[in-house]
Amino acid sequence: MKDFPGTPGTFTALTLRVLQFSFAAGSIVCITTTPGFFEYTALCYLIASMGLQVIWSFGIALFDAKALITKKILHNLVLVSLFAIGDWVTGMLSLAAASASAGLLILYFRDLGKCQSDCLKYWMSVTLAFMSWVMIEISSLIMFWLLAAG
Amino acid sequence: MKDFPGTPGTFTALTLRVLQFSFAAGSIVCITTTPGFFEYTALCYLIASMGLQVIWSFGIALFDAKALITKKILHNLVLVSLFAIGDWVTGMLSLAAASASAGLLILYFRDLGKCQSDCLKYWMSVTLAFMSWVMIEISSLIMFWLLAAG
């Protein structure tokens, strides 16, 4: 398999995973510190999706860190296939959750003009979720490219 | 470039494009026949996104149909790159628009329990948008695979 920045076990891959993890964790923190978020299904779905993202990215970051320390190459077909599928699934779920929450926030704060004290926290959470999605999308495209290039 | 079902100029590719086009057009028809949809930003975004999807899928369907009739192979690097980028962008926009609209509908019809006479049409529109996204995602993965496999 080809070796380029972002492939498993490289410093770029580890950086991407850390960013995914940090943005997703930040999104959860922002939303869970607001009262009443659990009344909205879309926001609960955002927390669930970002929670999955945190677990996935943290797990793969450990793999990458171990590979970097032991200088082991992680270009195994089974492993890359697993990473590609996992990244694709979590990426789609993150984008869907961030978009659903953004749709809800636009309705509340723009269409209906009900911007309460916590609206900044809600927007911060959705922005972080989108940033986490951008990072997972980059990882996902790299994995898929690596898999297809063989 | 490799030749497998779904690559440009094949019958499977044409079928996928026709399905994308039909689902996206159906989604627009469902939502535009309801009164007051323009009050909601997320629904307007869904129409814009599905409109782009209709234009894109119809254009590529014409390319595929012409290639099928003239038995010409469309495995050109520039053309496949263009298809891959276009599919990826329209796919992301479709998923984001469908999710944003679903978030809005879940808030209105489930969280707030305000299901009016048009709620079935709204749900139908969002379902068709998601079905259109599934089709464009399949096309997108095929194009990306073709590009990476070289």
Side-chain angles (χ1 to χ4, degrees):
Chain A
M1 282 182 165
K2 286 180 185 175
D3 195 11
F4 51 89
T7 54
T10 60
F11 182 72
T12 318
L14 180 63
T15 311
L16 280 170
R17 297 297 173 187
V18 170
L19 286 173
Q20 287 158 26
F21 169 82
S22 311
F23 290 144
S27 176
I28 294 174
V29 169
C30 278
I31 221 155
T32 48
T33 51
T34 60
F37 70 87
F38 44 81
E39 286 171 26
Y40 306 105
T41 309
L43 298 183
C44 294
Y45 171 45
L46 181 68
I47 293 174
S49 171
M50 286 298 111
L52 178 70
Q53 184 74 79
V54 162
I55 297 166
W56 174 257
S57 299
F58 185 71
I60 310 293
L62 288 182
F63 253 104
D64 283 333
K66 196 188 159 204
L68 268 175
I69 293 165
T70 57
K71 291 189 170 41
K72 203 180 159 189
I73 296 163
L74 285 181
H75 290 187
N76 175 307
L77 183 66
V78 179
L79 214 59
V80 174
S81 305
L82 184 77
F83 288 175
I85 295 167
D87 280 346
W88 189 74
V89 172
T90 52
M92 290 296 116
L93 290 176
S94 295
L95 176 62
S99 304
S101 302
L104 185 146
L105 295 188
I106 287 170
L107 173 80
Y108 254 74
F109 304 134
R110 195 173 141 179
D111 297 346
L112 303 177
K114 289 182 184 172
C115 185
Q116 292 152 343
S117 57
D118 288 322
C119 75
L120 191 69
K121 272 192 182 174
Y122 283 132
W123 277 121
M124 185 82 88
S125 174
V126 169
T127 308
L128 285 169
F130 272 115
M131 285 165 77
S132 179
W133 167 72
V134 170
M135 295 302 141
I136 193 89
E137 197 60 29
I138 296 170
S139 287
S140 176
L141 289 175
I142 290 170
M143 292 302 157
F144 200 70
W145 191 277
L146 192 65
L147 199 65
Chain B
M1 283 183 163
K2 284 180 185 176
D3 195 10
F4 51 88
T7 54
T10 60
F11 183 72
T12 319
L14 180 64
T15 311
L16 280 170
R17 297 298 172 184
V18 170
L19 286 174
Q20 286 158 25
F21 170 81
S22 311
F23 290 143
S27 176
I28 294 175
V29 169
C30 277
I31 221 154
T32 48
T33 51
T34 60
F37 69 87
F38 45 80
E39 286 172 26
Y40 306 106
T41 309
L43 298 183
C44 294
Y45 172 44
L46 181 68
I47 292 174
S49 171
M50 286 297 111
L52 178 71
Q53 183 75 79
V54 162
I55 296 165
W56 174 257
S57 300
F58 185 72
I60 311 292
L62 289 182
F63 253 103
D64 283 333
K66 195 189 161 205
L68 266 176
I69 292 165
T70 58
K71 292 188 172 32
K72 203 179 159 191
I73 296 163
L74 286 181
H75 291 188
N76 175 307
L77 183 67
V78 180
L79 215 61
V80 173
S81 305
L82 184 78
F83 288 176
I85 295 167
D87 280 347
W88 189 74
V89 171
T90 52
M92 289 299 115
L93 290 177
S94 294
L95 177 62
S99 303
S101 302
L104 184 147
L105 295 188
I106 287 170
L107 173 81
Y108 254 74
F109 304 134
R110 196 172 139 178
D111 297 347
L112 304 176
K114 288 183 185 173
C115 186
Q116 292 152 340
S117 57
D118 288 322
C119 74
L120 191 69
K121 271 191 183 175
Y122 283 131
W123 276 122
M124 185 82 88
S125 175
V126 170
T127 309
L128 285 169
F130 272 115
M131 285 165 77
S132 180
W133 167 71
V134 170
M135 295 302 139
I136 193 88
E137 198 60 29
I138 296 171
S139 286
S140 176
L141 289 176
I142 290 170
M143 292 302 155
F144 201 68
W145 191 277
L146 192 64
L147 198 64

